[in-house]
Amino acid sequence: MGFVKAQNLLLQCCIFLSAILIVCNAACPCGSEELCKPVTKNYTNELVVFSCATDPNEWKSYNWSEITHVILCHAGNTSNYNYTSLYCHAHANQVRVTQLAALHTDDFPHLGEASFRKKVIDGWMNQTKTFYLDGVNMDVEGAAFTNDVVAGITQLTKETHEAYKKANPNYVVTFDIPYSPYLAGCISKYCFDYIGISKYTDYMIVMDYDANIDIFMAQANSPFYMIEEGLELYTKNLSIDPQSLVMAVPWYGYDFQCKDFLNRTGNELCLIFGAGHMQRCFSSISPIIRNNSLPVHFNGYSKSVFVTLMMDGVYHQIWFDNSKSLSYKFDLAKKLGLRGLSMWRSDCLDYTAKDPYVVNETFQYWSDLTEAMIQLKKSNDV
């Protein structure tokens, strides 16, 4: 997930899991104690779902046929979140459930302290055991300005992996990494030791989004050429095994306010000059497109789609991903032989609409992801 989101999620995750404690009273929340044991099934390919839902019934609309791992990243009203039913359904189907564990950048200077790392790991482990989870997803994002911080992040990963595997060999430790080890990294001093991290995780989830670093022009959230370059840097330049990488694609986009248009057509080259922009889930983008009868344009360079419109007297350009743009990324994952696929995030779709058009859109996103996973598995088996 993005850097700003990650900084808030550690506290939110603690609140979320504390709310669960009230529900399950530290006892197995499922009908059978067997369902509260860590999942033992080994997967050579993974379809990972980031579930940040507040709707207690949302999980029932997921296409579970290929899902292997659900990462809970709840950041809303915990009292209405039906953790129990999702968890028990997942475990009944040998699907792992882990927690997203973020680390605030204010803590980075302390990573060189063994006692601090132990405190962090003990906290994560306590939550894992208390709520019968299957491991931890490490979301450590921010600027690593010194070699001490870089080394500290790698050491934290190593010690987390050792602690979890010692506690239960079936626990998994995953780590979220940016779309590129260099572009997202060294421009913003986000330069971690990804080779070292890869040695101490079951696999890493590549956040193939938030790649819009141009401050002058509206651009794609997940431009194909940058995603391709980033994955090749991981697999070729850093020699990281593709089977240790899972591609996470965006189910959201960015809404840019246009200060001007370079070609004056209102369709492309929206100049923003540092103007504000905001994230929009596809569930928010879709009604804008339909209510304004907007044509969706495909940009061949980034292999992404966008719409342009006037809202409240201001021109906006919204870039996002649909079936066409996502197909290029899914084909790339298959070509590179990656371990699997994921998305940020499942709750960016509309699961409550009765309109057949909206219902079909939600179905299509899940169908595209599921079919891509099936094809990836077939390709990896060859």
Side-chain angles (χ1 to χ4, degrees):
M1 68 212 53
F3 171 58
V4 175
K5 290 177 287 185
Q7 292 198 2
N8 296 319
L9 277 171
L10 181 59
L11 176 60
Q12 294 166 336
C13 191
C14 290
I15 295 172
F16 165 48
L17 291 170
S18 297
I20 294 171
L21 183 58
I22 296 173
V23 176
C24 66
N25 195 30
C28 175
C30 306
S32 168
E33 292 288 336
E34 289 298 312
L35 291 181
C36 285
K37 295 180 180 179
V39 170
T40 59
K41 185 173 181 178
N42 291 320
Y43 292 98
T44 55
N45 297 108
E46 303 274 353
L47 198 162
V48 182
V49 173
F50 281 96
S51 178
C52 309
T54 57
D55 180 353
N57 295 307
E58 178 188 294
W59 67 269
K60 298 176 183 178
S61 298
Y62 297 170
N63 185 332
W64 286 86
S65 61
E66 296 295 327
I67 296 174
T68 63
H69 184 179
V70 177
I71 298 173
L72 300 174
C73 53
H74 184 67
N77 182 3
T78 59
S79 63
N80 291 327
Y81 184 64
N82 195 347
Y83 158 83
T84 300
S85 55
L86 180 152
Y87 173 87
C88 298
H89 177 83
H91 268 211
N93 291 276
Q94 289 290 290
V95 173
R96 288 184 170 86
V97 180
T98 66
Q99 63 167 320
L100 184 147
L103 190 70
H104 200 284
T105 51
D106 288 347
D107 293 325
F108 281 11
H110 302 292
L111 285 172
E113 304 165 15
S115 59
F116 175 79
R117 296 193 303 272
K118 185 178 186 302
K119 180 180 178 181
V120 170
I121 296 168
D122 287 348
W124 292 345
M125 182 67 74
N126 181 59
Q127 291 175 342
T128 297
K129 290 183 175 181
T130 300
F131 306 112
Y132 306 98
L133 301 175
D134 297 285
V136 65
N137 169 249
M138 298 176 63
D139 190 73
V140 182
E141 302 183 50
F145 287 106
T146 66
N147 290 333
D148 289 345
V149 172
V150 173
I153 291 170
T154 305
Q155 188 65 22
L156 176 67
T157 308
K158 178 177 183 292
E159 291 171 6
T160 299
H161 186 264
E162 290 172 349
Y164 270 80
K165 296 301 180 180
K166 181 179 180 180
N168 193 310
N170 294 305
Y171 281 158
V172 296
V173 176
T174 58
F175 197 108
D176 302 331
I177 60 176
Y179 67 93
S180 168
Y182 302 135
L183 292 178
C186 295
I187 290 177
S188 60
K189 304 299 183 185
Y190 187 168
C191 310
F192 297 177
D193 175 15
Y194 299 111
I195 296 175
I197 291 170
S198 70
K199 296 176 181 178
Y200 306 118
T201 54
D202 289 89
Y203 54 88
M204 301 187 295
I205 301 173
V206 187
M207 300 177 287
D208 279 328
Y209 42 79
D210 291 345
N212 44 1
I213 58 176
D214 193 329
I215 63 173
F216 300 106
M217 188 178 302
Q219 69 242 248
N221 178 19
S222 179
F224 178 78
Y225 65 92
M226 295 181 74
I227 302 309
E228 181 178 38
E229 180 183 65
L231 286 170
E232 289 187 344
L233 287 171
Y234 280 121
T235 58
K236 295 180 180 179
N237 289 47
L238 300 184
S239 299
I240 292 175
D241 185 354
Q243 276 294 295
S244 67
L245 299 176
V246 168
M247 171 192 283
V249 298
W251 280 2
Y252 71 98
Y254 276 92
D255 179 346
F256 297 89
Q257 293 185 22
C258 305
K259 294 292 187 180
D260 203 350
F261 292 96
L262 190 60
N263 59 358
R264 303 284 179 179
T265 66
N267 289 327
E268 244 180 307
L269 300 179
C270 158
L271 303 180
I272 58 175
F273 300 122
H277 61 279
M278 60 179 290
Q279 291 184 2
R280 284 189 184 273
C281 283
F282 183 74
S283 59
S284 171
I285 296 171
S286 176
I288 292 175
I289 295 173
R290 294 188 68 199
N291 293 340
N292 293 278
S293 302
L294 299 175
V296 176
H297 301 281
F298 180 78
N299 178 272
Y301 180 58
S302 65
K303 292 183 172 56
S304 295
V305 294
F306 67 95
V307 295
T308 306
L309 75 156
M310 177 81 75
M311 289 193 293
D312 299 323
V314 178
Y315 269 111
H316 289 248
Q317 194 167 88
I318 304 173
W319 288 77
F320 61 101
D321 280 271
N322 62 7
S323 292
K324 183 174 182 177
S325 64
L326 289 173
S327 68
Y328 289 96
K329 300 178 183 66
F330 294 150
D331 286 345
L332 176 63
K334 184 171 69 172
K335 172 187 171 184
L336 295 177
L338 301 187
R339 184 185 186 93
L341 301 171
S342 179
M343 93 294 283
W344 180 262
R345 33 189 232 271
S346 63
D347 55 301
C348 269
L349 304 180
D350 188 338
Y351 298 94
T352 61
K354 303 300 182 183
D355 185 334
Y357 186 89
V358 179
V359 171
N360 184 66
E361 285 183 325
T362 297
F363 170 82
Q364 193 62 53
Y365 271 88
W366 275 105
S367 179
D368 290 343
L369 181 65
T370 302
E371 180 58 29
M373 189 66 209
I374 292 171
Q375 296 304 317
L376 177 64
K377 287 167 63 177
K378 288 181 179 178
S379 178
N380 286 346
D381 287 341
V382 174

